Amino acid sequence: EPEVTQTPSHQVTQMGQEVILRCVPISNHLYFYWYRQILGQKVEFLVSFYNNEISEKSEIFDDQFSVERPDGSNFTLKIRSTKLEDSAMYFCASSERSGEWGNTGELFFGEGSRLTVL
Amino acid sequence: EDQVTQSPEALRLQEGESSSLNCSYTVSGLRGLFWYRQDPGKGPEFLFTLYSAGEEKEKERLKATLTKKESFLHITAPKPEDSATYLCAVQVGVMRFGAGTRLTVKP
């Protein structure tokens, strides 16, 4: 069964350091997403990405965050200068369709990357 | 502002004790309501999509229903392996999640 894979599963970093989280979406999907979940809180939308550009982003996704699809398979989330409050589980997801024009259908989520900022 | 509220926050059941989880929403332009299951330390796993009021979907011991203002996830004769957090999400362009109901089923 196709799945979304994420690396690393856990990363510990010092405040102010740059972090890159990697995702391999399902191969025939065209729409990609990053969500985050702070421990004990709800899953929050960060950004959606299609055709090599951001299609929508939340207020959380400020200038410290960026996304990229550097090749045909990977989708990355970069945090330029991490803060303590960036500590969370980050989930990558992909879908076949965009929600802008209708329903995305099912979003397939990866297992997540746990980021701990010290 | 779009809102998704799930209740109760936590629910403890005995094995075989049926119950329902609630998801109420106030959104404009709903394009779909989703139920996901999330196990500790894992990503959300898709269960159901509901598109219109009156629609119902079933899978094993779970049945999801939708009205114009809320959705219910009914769990019939639950087993300990049904223990998880159940997330409701609404599609309004992007998918937005509720806080979830943490279900514990004791043997």
Side-chain angles (χ1 to χ4, degrees), chain B residues 50-68:
Chain B
L50 301 165
Y51 292 103
S52 55
E55 189 174 359
E56 297 184 355
K57 295 271 180 75
E58 282 190 69
K59 179 180 179 180
E60 296 181 357
R61 295 176 291 283
L62 301 176
K63 183 168 84 170
T65 61
L66 181 66
T67 72
K68 287 187 178 178

Side-chain angles (χ1 to χ4, degrees), chain B residues 7-62:
Chain B
S7 61
E9 288 185 14
L11 181 63
R12 297 170 69 90
L13 300 173
Q14 288 295 129
E15 185 172 2
E17 180 187 0
S18 301
S19 188
S20 295
L21 282 53
N22 177 264
C23 172
S24 63
Y25 61 92
T26 52
V27 301
S28 54
L30 181 71
R31 294 190 178 127
L33 185 138
F34 297 77
W35 283 98
Y36 283 82
R37 170 189 171 128
Q38 186 177 29
D39 291 302
K42 304 288 187 183
E45 178 187 344
F46 172 76
L47 293 173
F48 303 109
T49 310
L50 301 165
Y51 292 103
S52 55
E55 189 174 359
E56 297 184 355
K57 295 271 180 75
E58 282 190 69
K59 179 180 179 180
E60 296 181 357
R61 295 176 291 283
L62 301 176

